[in-house]
Amino acid sequence: MNFRGFTKALRTRWLIVCTTTIVAVLAAVATTLLTTPLYQSTTRLFVSSSAGGKSLADKYSGTLDSQQRVLSYTELITGETLAQRTIDKLNLDMTAQDLAAEVTASAKLDTVLIDVAVTDRSPVRARDIANALSDEFVNMVRELETPEDGSPPAARVVVEQRASLAEFPISPNKPRNIALGLAIGLLLGVGLALLRNYLDNSVKDQETLFELSGVGLVGAVPLDKERRTRPAISFDHDSSSIAEAFRRIRTNLQFLAVDNPPRVIVVASSLPSEGKSTTAINIALALAEAEHSVVLVDGDMRRPMLDKYLNVVGTVGFSTVLSGGASLSEVLQKTTFPGLTVLTSGPTPPNPSELIGSLAAQKVLGELRAQFDYVIVDSSPLLAVTDATILATSADGVLLIARYGQTKREQLSQAIRNLKDVGVSPLGTVFTMTPARGDGSYSYNYYGYGYGRDVAQQSDVDTSDSQQGGRRRAVSKNRQKSN
Ligand SMILES: Nc1ncnc2c1ncn2[C@@H]1O[C@H](COP(=O)(O)OP(=O)(O)OP(=O)(O)O)[C@@H](O)[C@H]1O
Ligand SMILES: [Mg+2]
């Protein structure tokens, strides 16, 4: 992974990094608050040896003797014998082992000084133990170093500095713990983000879409929360980025097959909830905005949504015509959107695939092709049922939808294989629900300057009325040709 990939992964997964860091800092704060504070008091002992005489060499050998003793003394200070003597002296309610564990002794190299530190939950007790222990050690050394013949002791220890009351605990160290939590959280967050990125095999860029499908990106529809409550965009007074995205798709449809632009288009995707119905509706509306006559067909007989999304009657429709219950003209419904007619799915039949694959269905699509400039067909998920592949064989082409960051590479590949099995290649791909901000939108802009450059350029041309009229004429001519 190069630096750009690294920063992109972090930008995409910033939530993981932030959450992990916050959790780690909170854990550090909680640990700090729950840790019993410990106080430390220290004393300093001075060791002198009475070995040697008055000459310089004797003094030198005396100092050397004291330095050698210092090492043994540090062992005695942290031993359980001295601990027990201190407990007896202070009348403490603890074991010698526990007290010894609270004591540390350190001697600086080439000195005759010993620092004794006592750490305890009570600052008073830490101070008292440090002083009592040091006093007891002075006595202990006197006893140990006094020869049996009663001659003066070979070495003696003096408490050079007595312990005082500690004002602040030495542990927990709040700033250090929080800094540690922050550092560990950040590292862990970045690690998790990179791991998640590595394991994520969803489709998120145009290159992957092209690599899998072999066809170009026709458009990228940004995520727009408003579509959840109002799937249809009011194109007449909407210049939002999502409306522009659909206008771009409209333009690019003209360029997919210049000699014979597709007019009967199935909108398909691998899985449910990838935005097929919403996209189909808005492609139809974008075409209607350019004054094309458009019929939107609900080819998803298992989970029909167009009637609800467009607020039209759903009790009669495609299945009613196919079962001979009504004629096509009787079930076509005008919508509140100028230029857009809808053929809802009708009641769900027991055998949707059979009905969709019938000659009657082909006839209906043929009639719609003759009546309208464009027939946009919403469909069921390609990986779930065969309905969409059957519809695809009667259409001019399929627009294959991939939901940004959700559709997996294998799912898209399988959907394409399903289409190829019936001899259909997608016309192009559409990304849905791309992030409105951040990397997805960046990628989207990038498409405009990558091999999808024409996609962006063509959309600029699209807004001119004269061009719309010209295109309309071109489609009408085409329709007459096909009739
Ligand atoms: N561009 C978008 N921005 C935000 N939400 C969207 C967008 N497109 C679709 N949605 C929402 O995603 C959900 C699924 O959309 P939709 O019904 O169009 O998907 P679908 O592929 O047709 O699903 P199904 O396979 O179940 O028919 C809906 O709640 C819809 O409002
Ligand atoms: Mg749908």
Side-chain angles (χ1 to χ4, degrees):
M1 179 186 276
N2 58 15
F3 183 70
R4 195 166 150 236
F6 175 76
T7 50
K8 189 177 171 196
L10 291 191
R11 276 204 306 274
T12 318
R13 312 270 173 214
W14 64 269
L15 199 63
I16 295 181
V17 180
C18 290
T19 313
T20 317
T21 309
I22 291 170
V23 168
V25 169
L26 288 179
V29 171
T31 312
T32 306
L33 292 177
L34 292 174
T35 305
T36 313
L38 292 177
Y39 296 85
Q40 194 174 67
S41 285
T42 55
T43 61
R44 175 165 286 175
L45 308 180
F46 178 83
V47 179
S48 65
S49 172
S50 53
K54 285 187 177 158
S55 71
L56 203 60
D58 289 344
K59 278 182 186 153
Y60 177 69
S61 99
T63 308
L64 217 59
D65 189 51
S66 302
Q67 285 172 1
Q68 281 162 0
R69 279 194 155 79
V70 157
L71 287 175
S72 314
Y73 288 175
T74 54
E75 294 294 319
L76 290 175
I77 290 167
T78 53
E80 288 184 18
T81 312
L82 183 64
Q84 190 56 55
R85 288 174 71 146
T86 312
I87 288 169
D88 295 342
K89 187 172 179 188
L90 292 176
N91 204 14
L92 294 173
D93 183 22
M94 64 197 300
T95 65
Q97 206 178 10
D98 288 346
L99 191 138
E102 291 190 352
V103 182
T104 56
S106 57
K108 286 199 186 76
L109 200 67
D110 295 337
T111 70
V112 290
L113 299 173
I114 301 173
D115 288 325
V116 180
V118 175
T119 308
D120 194 272
R121 277 178 291 173
S122 150
V124 176
R125 200 160 66 161
R127 179 199 60 191
D128 294 348
I129 291 176
N131 284 331
L133 185 122
S134 301
D135 292 340
E136 268 314 297
F137 187 63
V138 170
N139 297 337
M140 192 172 164
V141 169
R142 192 182 308 119
E143 287 159 26
L144 290 172
E145 297 286 3
T146 304
E148 282 187 1
D149 60 7
S151 52
R156 72 188 189 105
V157 174
V158 181
V159 183
E160 189 270 326
Q161 187 185 298
R162 297 195 72 76
S164 56
L165 198 67
E167 252 182 89
F168 303 104
I170 55 149
S171 130
N173 185 333
K174 276 187 211 159
R176 195 201 57 193
N177 286 2
I178 291 170
L180 210 65
L182 191 72
I184 291 174
L186 267 176
L187 276 177
L188 203 68
V190 170
L192 281 176
L194 294 181
L195 182 72
R196 178 83 180 78
N197 208 52
Y198 175 73
L199 295 176
D200 182 4
N201 66 347
S202 65
V203 185
K204 283 212 208 72
D205 55 78
Q206 183 191 11
E207 289 81 6
T208 312
L209 262 186
F210 181 70
E211 189 189 303
L212 296 173
S213 67
V215 288
L217 183 79
V218 177
V221 180
L223 186 95
D224 177 11
K225 288 193 179 132
E226 208 189 324
R227 303 287 66 89
R228 291 182 189 146
T229 46
R230 218 162 47 85
I233 300 166
S234 311
F235 277 87
D236 47 350
H237 51 260
D238 198 328
S239 58
S240 61
S241 60
I242 189 165
E244 286 305 322
F246 281 109
R247 289 188 182 108
R248 231 171 257 153
I249 293 174
R250 172 182 70 196
T251 307
N252 292 324
L253 281 176
Q254 316 293 314
F255 290 86
L256 286 175
V258 182
D259 292 335
N260 193 15
R263 294 202 297 112
V264 180
I265 300 165
V266 173
V267 178
S269 82
S270 333
L271 299 170
S273 297
E274 292 187 315
K276 292 179 289 297
S277 305
T278 311
T279 306
I281 289 174
N282 289 301
I283 290 177
L285 284 171
L287 288 163
E289 187 204 21
E291 296 182 28
H292 297 298
S293 64
V294 186
V295 63
L296 185 59
V297 179
D298 199 339
D300 185 354
M301 291 195 182
R302 296 164 200 266
R303 236 185 115 192
M305 292 305 281
L306 294 190
D307 52 326
K308 289 160 205 92
Y309 284 179
L310 290 170
N311 207 13
V312 291
V313 178
T315 46
V316 286
F318 201 7
S319 63
T320 327
V321 180
L322 297 181
S323 62
S327 69
L328 180 60
S329 58
E330 283 171 330
V331 294
L332 284 176
Q333 299 182 59
K334 288 254 177 271
T335 63
T336 49
F337 302 96
L340 180 66
T341 306
V342 179
L343 175 62
T344 60
S345 159
T348 302
N351 53 346
S353 305
E354 238 171 80
L355 271 192
I356 286 172
S358 64
L359 280 174
Q362 284 180 28
K363 197 166 154 250
V364 169
L365 288 179
E367 281 178 38
L368 292 174
R369 180 198 288 275
Q371 282 184 43
F372 295 89
D373 293 342
Y374 284 98
V375 183
I376 305 296
V377 187
D378 184 17
S379 68
S380 321
L382 281 161
L383 298 192
V385 283
T386 55
D387 305 8
T389 47
I390 298 170
L391 280 169
T393 54
S394 314
D396 295 343
V398 174
L399 272 185
L400 189 60
I401 285 188
R403 182 170 170 175
Y404 180 94
Q406 291 276 326
T407 310
K408 305 273 181 284
R409 295 169 68 105
E410 312 83 67
Q411 293 163 343
L412 197 67
S413 302
Q414 186 56 51
I416 292 161
R417 274 200 295 277
N418 287 5
L419 285 172
K420 293 223 162 123
D421 284 349
V422 294
V424 175
S425 288
L427 282 171
T429 51
V430 175
F431 248 143
T432 54
M433 298 183 239
T434 59
R437 277 190 293 274
D439 276 329
S441 59
Y442 162 75
S443 306
Y444 178 70
N445 288 335
Y446 173 72
Y447 304 144
Y449 296 96
Y451 89 88
R453 183 181 184 138
D454 292 342
V455 172
Q457 286 177 341
Q458 286 151 14
S459 71
D460 298 340
V461 178
D462 187 46
T463 43
S464 105
D465 285 341
S466 63
Q467 292 271 345
Q468 287 177 358
R471 198 172 40 255
R472 182 160 192 252
R473 279 192 297 279
V475 172
S476 300
K477 217 170 85 194
N478 206 0
R479 211 173 100 203
Q480 281 159 13
K481 223 165 57 185
S482 65
N483 289 343

